[in-house]
Amino acid sequence: MLPTSPLFAFIKMSDSGKNARDPWFAVRRELSPKRATVLTVVSFTLPLLIWSAVSYLPFLWHPDIQLQLSANRKDVSTVYVAGDRLSKGFFPEFQEAVRVQNAELNTQLASEDPLAGASESTVRRANKKVLRHLAPLLIQNGWISDDQSTDDEAIYHAWGELASGERSLKRPSLSDENIEIVEANWKAMSAVSPNYDSDNFVSVPLLSLVPQGKASNPDYLPAPDKVLTSGIKIFSIPAESDRPSMLQRVGHSLQIVFGGFLLAALIGVPIGVVCGTYPFFSRLVEPFTDFFRYMPAPTFSTLLVAIFLANDAPKIALVFVGTFFQLVLVVANTTRRLDMPLLEAAQTLGASQHQLLSKVVVPGIMPSLYDDLRILLGWAWTWLVIAELVGVKSGLTEFIETQGRFRNFDLVFPVIILIGLIGFFTDQILSLIKGVIFPYTEDGAKAASHPIMKAVLFLPRLVRRLLGGKTTPDAA
Amino acid sequence: MIPPADTIDYHTQSPEVSKRFAELKQRPVVLSVDDLTKIFPSRNGDVTALKSVDFEVYRREFMCVIGPSGCGKSTLIRILAGLETETAGAVLLDGNPVAGPGPDRGMVFQSYTLFPWLTVKQNVMFGPKMAGHKEAGVEADARQWIELVGLSQFENSYPHQLSGGMKQRVAIARALANRPRILLMDEPFGALDAQTRAQMQSYLLQIWKNLDITILFITHDLDEAIYLSDRILVLKANPGEVDEIIEVPVPRPRSLDQFIEPEFIATKHRINQLIHPESERGQDTLPFPRMTKQGDDVE
C-alpha cells in the first residue's frame, strides 16, 4: 500500500502498526485527521514540486536555448539579444554561422584589403557593437550594474581584464573559443588605446563573439523563483498618475466582482425565495430565466457598454448578468428543498401564510443559501477577466493583458496566482465563519471546535460565561 | 403462549372498565368525523383512500387508529389536521367544522419536525408567538412545558444536539404549548428504538393523565395501540373504511405487566384477525426450496 521510499517514511512511522487495518485507499472510508492534513499539504506542494522540477532540472523538457551572449550577423536582419530564446535545433546553426563569419573575417584580415572596401567609420561603428555584446555576461557576473550596459568605458576595461587573464567570468563563464576571440580582439583594441576612447577606437574589423546560451524552458513557463521575485517587484512599484499600483488594481478588481455579485444577490435572492415558495412565481419567472442563463454573459458586453457607457458600470453589469440568472434558479431550488414537514408542522402550530414565509422558509433555508452564495461568488470571479476587458481595460486584467502581450509571463503569473489565492481564501474564510453564523448546523459544531475559531470565539464565550449564560450540554 | 381466541372474548369487560366506558361516553364529543371520504384523482382512475369514515372522540379520550399499510391512516390524520382537504363529509371540532390547519389541533409527526434553527425553548415558543402573544409570558409558559417533558436542562440546546426520543418530547411540548383541543399523533414513535419507544409511551400516558387533552394516535404497532388507548379504531384497506371500533378491556392505569393479561391478548388477537384476515393467511410463507442436507435442521 505504502511506498517504502524515504519520502514517505515519516508517514509510515506516524501510523505504524495501523496500516493493515487502516488502508490509505478504501472506498468512502474517512481518513484519520493526521492523514487528511498530510494529503492537504501534499496537494499544494506536489504541483509546486512538479513546477520546480520542470524549471530547475535541465534534463526535464527545456526545449529552448536562452542566449547569455549574442552576436550580430552580417546581412541578417533578425537580431537576437541576450535573454532571447532559440529552439535547440536552431542554436547550433546560429553559432556555426558566426564561426563561418569569423573565419571569413580572418582571411579578409590576412588579405591586402582588411577593411574589404568599407569606410573606417563604418567599421568603427560595427566594432562598438561587438564591444557591447559582452555586456550581458558582465552584468550577470556582477562586474557592471544593470544600467551600465552601454557604459563603453567599463566594458572596454573588462575586455582588457579578460584578455590578460587578470579576472575571469565565472557564472556564466566564457567559452574557450570566446576567450580566444576576446584575446585576439583585445590585441587589436589595445594597440590603438589602452583605455576607451570614442574618437580613437579600433578601426580594424573585430571578430564576433560566438553565441553562448543555456538550456531553458519557453518564456511562458517562468521558474518559481522568477515568479516570486517578479511578484514582489510588481507589488512594490508605487502608483503613478497614469498607472495604478498593484494594490489599487486588486482593489478595483474586487470592486467589480463584489459589486456585480452583491447586486445580483440583493435582487436575485428575494426573487429566488419567492419562486421557491410560490409555484405561481416559479412558473412565471423560472422558464424565461432558465432560457436567459444559456446566453453567455460576454455576448452582452458591447450592449452593456452602449447602455452603461464607459468606466465600471458595464463591467459590474457583466458580472451581474453572468451571476444573476444562475442565482435565481439556484436559490429557488434551494428554497424548494426545504423539508415539507417543517412547513406542515408550522401550519399546525398556527403559522399564517405570511408567517410561513418569514418565520419558516427564510430562516430554514439560510444555511443552504449561504452555501449557494459561496459557490455563486466563485462564478462571479470567473466573469472578472472578461468584465475587465469590456470598454476601457482595467484592474488586474489590464496588467495581465499588457504584460502578456510583451511575453512578460513572469509578471503575469503572480497576478493569476493572486486572483486564485484571493478566491480560495475568501471561500475558506466564508466556510469557516458559516459555523459561527449557523451554530445549529452540523458544520456549526465542527467549526466551533476549529482551532482558529476557538481563538476567535474565546472572548465572546468568556463574556457569555461571565454573564452567567448556561452552556448547552450535548445529548448522548 | 396465546390462549385460543374463543376462551376469552375481548368484549368481556370487568365492571370497572364498563363503568369507565359508560362515563367516557357521557363526556362531550370533541372531534366528530362525519361520513368522511377522500378520493385521490390519478391518471389510472381515482383512488379512494377513505370511504365514509365515521366516528367520534370524547373529551380526554385516548384513541388509536390502526390498520394495514395503505389503509389511509395518515390521510385521515392529515385531513383532521387540515393539511389535506376531504372529498366529502365533514370534520367537526367541538361542533364547528374544520377548515385548514390551526393551533386548536396540535400535531406530532413521525419525522422530526423541530425547527433546526431554533433552540428547544424557541421551538416550544413558536406557536404562541405566531398567535401574537407577549414574549415574556410565552417564555415562562414554554419553560413549564419543557419541564413537563423533562428537558429543562436542554432548553437552550439545538435540535441536532438531541436524541430522537428527546426531539419527539420537544415536539409534544411544542404542540401542547398552543393549548390544542386535541393532539393528533402520526406514528410519533415509529422511528425510535424499542426501549426509547416504551419510555415515550409511558411519558405520553403520564402527560395525558395530567392534562385536559384528547389524543388521537396513529400506529401500526398492536401492543402500542392496546397499551395506550381507550378505544381503537381499526381501518380496512382498499378503500379505507372503519372495520371496527374496539373498546379496550384492559383496565387503567396501564403497565407493561398487562401485556400478558388475557384481555390484552384477546384484544390483540382480535385486531390481528381484522388486519390480517383468514383469506390472507398463508401468504406469509415463501415458496422456498430446502437448501440444507436432510437432518440438518434448526427447528
Side-chain angles (χ1 to χ4, degrees):
Chain A
M1 250 165 301
L2 259 182
T4 45
S5 81
L7 183 65
F8 289 92
F10 73 100
I11 298 170
K12 233 186 157 172
M13 225 162 25
S14 61
D15 284 308
S16 61
K18 289 200 308 184
N19 289 342
R21 274 171 294 130
D22 277 345
W24 283 76
F25 303 102
V27 175
R28 302 283 311 256
R29 169 102 56 96
E30 282 294 321
L31 292 168
S32 70
K34 195 187 283 172
R35 285 180 174 182
T37 312
V38 167
L39 288 176
T40 306
V41 172
V42 170
S43 119
F44 279 92
T45 45
L46 204 60
L48 199 62
L49 278 176
I50 294 171
W51 182 20
S52 301
V54 171
S55 299
Y56 300 129
L57 299 179
F59 51 85
L60 283 181
W61 202 31
H62 287 76
D64 291 351
I65 298 285
Q66 185 171 25
L67 292 181
Q68 295 163 325
L69 199 60
S70 189
N72 276 27
R73 278 190 295 159
K74 264 183 204 154
D75 316 321
V76 178
S77 55
T78 315
V79 180
Y80 294 105
V81 298
D84 282 354
R85 288 168 171 84
L86 275 58
S87 77
K88 262 186 178 148
F90 176 63
F91 181 68
E93 214 177 288
F94 181 39
Q95 279 184 311
E96 206 43 48
V98 176
R99 284 189 196 113
V100 168
Q101 188 180 304
N102 279 344
E104 279 169 3
L105 185 61
N106 274 328
T107 16
Q108 182 190 316
L109 288 172
S111 73
E112 286 171 15
D113 182 14
L115 299 192
S119 72
E120 275 195 14
S121 63
T122 312
V123 172
R124 200 172 281 153
R125 215 176 307 129
N127 281 350
K128 282 183 182 169
K129 278 189 184 168
V130 172
L131 176 81
R132 286 183 186 178
H133 269 144
L134 199 55
L137 261 191
L138 299 175
I139 291 171
Q140 284 185 68
N141 272 279
W143 287 23
I144 60 174
S145 63
D146 270 342
D147 48 7
Q148 279 183 299
S149 61
T150 53
D151 184 347
D152 294 325
E153 242 167 276
I155 299 167
Y156 197 85
H157 184 65
W159 276 82
E161 285 180 309
L162 278 171
S164 64
E166 223 173 287
R167 285 168 83 184
S168 60
L169 293 167
K170 295 271 159 47
R171 210 176 257 207
S173 63
L174 209 51
S175 68
D176 290 343
E177 63 178 324
N178 274 337
I179 291 177
E180 276 173 35
I181 291 167
V182 168
E183 283 166 1
N185 280 354
W186 180 249
K187 212 171 180 183
M189 285 152 78
S190 59
V192 179
S193 160
N195 287 312
Y196 178 73
D197 183 352
S198 176
D199 299 326
N200 186 22
F201 194 62
V202 62
S203 53
V204 183
L206 294 177
L207 293 168
S208 295
L209 291 164
V210 178
Q212 268 180 246
K214 63 165 195 253
S216 92
N217 283 330
D219 51 3
Y220 54 77
L221 187 73
D225 70 300
K226 185 86 176 117
V227 169
L228 187 70
T229 47
S230 300
I232 294 169
K233 198 174 83 191
I234 56 176
F235 272 91
S236 47
I237 299 172
E240 279 169 32
S241 59
D242 58 335
R243 200 191 54 201
S245 75
M246 198 50 75
L247 228 54
Q248 283 170 331
R249 286 180 192 274
V250 171
H252 194 245
S253 291
L254 284 175
Q255 249 174 43
I256 305 271
V257 172
F258 281 91
F261 170 75
L262 290 178
L263 205 61
L266 212 66
I267 303 171
V269 169
I271 294 179
V273 169
V274 166
C275 285
T277 310
Y278 302 101
F280 173 86
F281 291 104
S282 168
R283 277 282 126 207
L284 190 66
V285 174
E286 284 182 59
F288 180 75
T289 311
D290 203 17
F291 152 70
F292 206 96
R293 71 168 163 158
Y294 284 107
M295 297 195 267
T299 54
F300 292 92
S301 52
T302 45
L303 182 68
L304 293 173
V305 171
I307 299 172
F308 295 105
L309 307 174
N311 297 329
D312 288 353
K315 299 170 196 288
I316 291 174
L318 189 124
V319 174
F320 175 86
V321 169
T323 319
F324 175 77
F325 298 96
Q326 295 288 346
L327 189 139
V328 168
L329 294 179
V330 168
V331 171
N333 253 329
T334 293
T335 310
R336 269 192 291 272
R337 277 207 316 273
L338 182 70
D339 238 5
M340 195 61 195
L342 287 186
L343 291 171
E344 292 182 341
Q347 288 181 67
T348 64
L349 290 168
S352 65
Q353 287 286 310
H354 174 252
Q355 283 169 329
L356 277 185
L357 180 58
S358 63
K359 304 289 181 187
V360 184
V361 174
V362 171
I365 62 167
M366 277 302 169
S368 317
L369 184 65
Y370 185 86
D371 284 337
D372 288 346
L373 291 182
R374 246 177 69 201
I375 292 165
L376 284 157
L377 180 59
W379 271 81
W381 272 104
T382 60
W383 296 119
L384 170 71
V385 170
I386 296 161
E388 287 189 324
L389 292 178
V390 169
V392 185
K393 288 174 196 161
S394 69
L396 295 172
T397 310
E398 192 259 335
F399 184 84
I400 293 175
E401 262 283 298
T402 314
Q403 298 303 329
R405 235 162 246 206
F406 293 127
R407 301 188 73 82
N408 292 334
F409 292 105
D410 58 321
L411 302 181
V412 169
F413 269 73
V415 180
I416 295 177
I417 293 173
L418 178 79
I419 295 179
L421 286 176
I422 295 174
F424 179 76
F425 281 108
T426 315
D427 193 64
Q428 288 295 304
I429 291 167
L430 287 179
S431 137
L432 206 60
I433 57 178
K434 184 191 175 190
V436 181
I437 306 173
F438 307 110
Y440 52 84
T441 56
E442 300 288 332
D443 287 350
K446 243 185 272 169
S449 62
H450 194 283
I452 297 176
M453 273 301 132
K454 264 188 184 162
V456 175
L457 291 177
F458 175 73
L459 260 182
R461 276 190 182 149
L462 189 73
V463 170
R464 209 182 305 159
R465 195 164 306 166
L466 291 178
L467 291 175
K470 272 187 207 163
T471 48
T472 56
D474 278 40
Chain B
M1 264 244 302
I2 299 175
D6 47 326
T7 54
I8 303 159
D9 189 356
Y10 70 98
H11 282 121
T12 321
Q13 293 174 355
S14 67
E16 307 93 80
V17 173
S18 1
K19 189 163 158 266
R20 249 187 68 80
F21 278 114
E23 280 172 13
L24 183 84
K25 286 170 189 167
Q26 292 303 307
R27 294 188 210 147
V29 171
V30 170
L31 182 78
S32 157
V33 176
D34 255 358
D35 209 17
L36 193 71
T37 298
K38 175 71 182 177
I39 295 167
F40 289 108
S42 87
R43 246 171 242 166
N44 313 323
D46 295 349
V47 178
T48 308
L50 293 172
K51 191 179 166 195
S52 305
V53 173
D54 215 59
F55 67 96
E56 285 170 337
V57 187
Y58 300 97
R59 189 176 87 87
R60 295 197 66 188
E61 181 179 2
F62 200 128
M63 186 186 244
C64 275
V65 178
I66 201 163
S69 53
C71 69
K73 305 187 284 271
S74 283
T75 308
L76 172 65
I77 206 164
R78 287 174 61 82
I79 292 175
L80 300 184
L83 296 171
E84 302 258 6
T85 48
E86 64 276 4
T87 312
V91 177
L92 303 174
L93 189 73
D94 291 327
N96 306 314
V98 156
D104 49 0
R105 283 146 293 141
M107 176 122 168
V108 179
F109 297 77
Q110 179 176 8
S111 56
Y112 303 128
T113 55
L114 295 184
F115 304 119
W117 60 94
L118 298 179
T119 61
V120 166
K121 191 170 67 192
Q122 289 165 334
N123 261 286
V124 176
M125 288 161 66
F126 185 88
K129 276 176 84 175
M130 290 303 109
H133 294 305
K134 286 266 182 329
E135 175 98 16
V138 168
E139 190 174 345
D141 203 42
R143 282 221 173 86
Q144 279 184 2
W145 290 111
I146 294 166
E147 203 182 337
L148 182 85
V149 295
L151 291 174
S152 289
Q153 60 181 128
F154 294 102
E155 62 171 33
N156 291 319
S157 300
Y158 285 106
H160 80 99
Q161 297 170 299
L162 304 179
S163 68
M166 289 163 138
K167 282 181 200 171
Q168 291 305 64
R169 273 146 75 188
V170 178
I172 293 169
R174 182 177 71 172
L176 291 174
N178 267 341
R179 317 276 164 126
R181 294 292 293 138
I182 187 164
L183 188 60
L184 306 168
M185 305 183 85
D186 186 3
E187 301 197 35
F189 311 144
L192 305 178
D193 63 84
Q195 269 177 319
T196 315
R197 179 184 258 246
Q199 197 185 33
M200 293 294 292
Q201 289 163 356
S202 153
Y203 283 143
L204 184 60
L205 282 180
Q206 291 170 48
I207 292 169
W208 169 73
K209 192 172 69 186
N210 294 320
L211 292 179
D212 175 9
I213 187 76
T214 310
I215 296 180
L216 188 82
F217 189 105
I218 285 187
T219 179
H220 59 257
D221 180 337
L222 307 190
D223 290 328
E224 185 171 68
I226 303 167
Y227 178 55
L228 294 175
S229 32
D230 291 316
R231 293 188 300 156
I232 300 173
L233 178 82
V234 186
L235 283 182
K236 225 175 4 194
N238 300 321
E241 277 181 297
V242 178
D243 207 348
E244 186 175 341
I245 297 178
I246 295 174
E247 295 183 353
V248 179
V250 184
R252 287 190 188 271
R254 301 274 163 79
S255 76
L256 295 176
D257 300 334
Q258 290 169 320
F259 277 49
I260 50 166
E261 298 284 335
E263 306 94 332
F264 196 102
I265 293 164
T267 313
K268 192 169 168 183
H269 197 88
R270 175 60 185 161
I271 302 174
N272 232 329
Q273 268 182 340
L274 291 171
I275 297 180
H276 307 289
E278 208 76 47
S279 57
E280 283 177 19
R281 298 267 163 80
Q283 285 182 5
D284 54 356
T285 51
L286 296 169
F288 200 78
R290 188 186 180 100
M291 291 174 87
T292 53
K293 286 185 194 132
Q294 280 297 329
D296 185 10
D297 294 324
V298 284
E299 42 174 54

